[in-house]
Amino acid sequence: MNLILLGPPGAGKGTQARRLEDTRGLVQLSTGDMLRAMVAEGGPLGQQAKDIMAAGKLMPDELMVQMIAERISKPDVTNGFILDGFPRTVAQAEALDKMLADKGLKLDHVIEMKVVDDILVDRITGRYTCAKCGKGYHDTFEKPKVEGVCDVCGSTEFKRRADDNAATVTTRLSQYHEQTAPILPYYRDRGVLKTVDGMAEIDDVTKQIEALLAA
Ligand code: AMP
């Protein structure tokens, strides 16, 4: 099964993608994670990515399409994938269609996670993760049970994304509305678009997604 989780930054795409990896054996393909790994490696392309991400702007389509094309060809993707953060423009969506057609693959579902902007700013600026196991937390909505200690692995080190600050979030949201939201009618016209309420509790969003996949 091949899926796209589509929605603004902070909608919960990463959280739901990781759950679907566990429950359905799919592979999460997050272009944001791939870019952050590239930044961590350094090099000229990493520096370019770092600057663009810090500004909340989008990376060039050609580079992103190439990145996904390479990743999707790896053997671990045979059970299916969940795209998280790609496509982000209509040009990327068109390139993905072509890429999948060439491989004899198809998209089964495109799931829009709908959340209003006001909520997203609070969600994004307060979120952080365990540096060791990646468990997600939030300053207000989801604190560790013991302050400063990860519930899952006991680590005391946490990290925040460099672009999860109020100034960058505003640009990321306007980029979503201008560049990414036009993908919604693109997939609606192809009959694969479904919508869930991304403002519900995390477990409830998972249930909504599972219901769509089972239908
Ligand atoms: P994310 O982790 O999905 O929120 O992505 C973080 C940042 O990486 C975005 O704000 C963009 O700067 C960049 N990025 C991730 N995916 C894409 C994409 N498909 N196209 C262009 N830029 C991207």
Side-chain angles (χ1 to χ4, degrees), residues 31-32 35-36 53 57 59 64 85-86 88 92 161:
T31 41
L35 289 168
R36 281 183 284 280
M53 291 164 88
K57 297 281 179 62
M59 294 288 287
M64 301 314 299
F86 183 95
R88 253 179 162 95
Q92 291 181 16
R161 278 173 50 170

